[in-house]
Amino acid sequence: AVVSTQSTGTEAALTRSATTVVTDKTRSVEKRKKIEKLSYLRKLEETKAKRLLNLKQRKDIKRSAEEKKSEDEINKQREAEEEKKRVAEEARRAAEEAKRTAEEA
C-alpha cells in the first residue's frame, strides 16, 4: 500500500508539473497572440492616423490653391478696375485739354 501511495504521489507530482508546463505554454502562446493583436491594432491605428493626416493635408493644399486662385482673380479684377479708372481719367484730361484748346482758338 505504501509503494502504491508513493507511486501515486509521484504520478500526481508529474501530472501537476506537466499540467503546469502545458498551462505555462498556453499562457505564453495566449500572451504572444495578445501582444501580436495589440501591435496589429496599434499599426492599424497608426495607418489610419497617417491616412487621415494625408487626407487633411491634401484638402488643405486644395483649399489653399483655391484661395490663391480666388485671390488672383480678385487681384486681376482690381487691376482691371484701376486700369479703367486710369483710362477714364486720361480721357477726361484729354477732353479738358481739347476744350481749352478750342476756347483759346
Side-chain angles (χ1 to χ4, degrees):
V2 175
V3 174
S4 65
T5 307
Q6 279 183 335
S7 66
T8 308
T10 309
E11 286 172 17
L14 286 172
T15 307
R16 265 197 307 277
S17 66
T19 306
T20 307
V21 168
V22 169
T23 309
D24 287 349
K25 281 186 178 178
T26 307
R27 277 196 202 117
S28 67
V29 167
E30 288 171 355
K31 200 174 193 178
R32 192 182 75 236
K33 283 184 180 178
K34 192 173 186 179
I35 290 170
E36 287 172 356
K37 185 177 179 183
L38 288 173
S39 68
Y40 169 76
L41 290 173
R42 185 174 43 79
K43 284 179 184 175
L44 199 65
E45 284 297 316
E46 288 174 359
T47 306
K48 203 182 285 183
K50 283 179 187 175
R51 272 201 205 116
L52 284 172
L53 183 65
N54 288 340
L55 187 66
K56 187 177 182 304
Q57 287 174 341
R58 284 200 305 262
K59 282 184 180 176
D60 288 347
I61 290 169
K62 194 174 181 182
R63 190 180 303 117
S64 67
E66 288 173 359
E67 287 173 0
K68 188 173 180 353
K69 189 177 177 183
S70 63
E71 282 179 19
D72 289 346
E73 288 173 3
I74 290 169
N75 288 338
K76 284 179 185 177
Q77 287 175 349
R78 194 177 296 135
E79 288 172 7
E81 288 171 11
E82 288 173 3
E83 185 66 27
K84 283 182 191 174
K85 286 179 185 176
R86 202 168 30 252
V87 169
E89 183 66 27
E90 288 175 12
R92 191 180 57 76
R93 282 192 198 134
E96 285 178 6
E97 192 66 36
K99 192 177 179 184
R100 262 192 242 120
T101 308
E103 286 174 358
E104 289 174 3

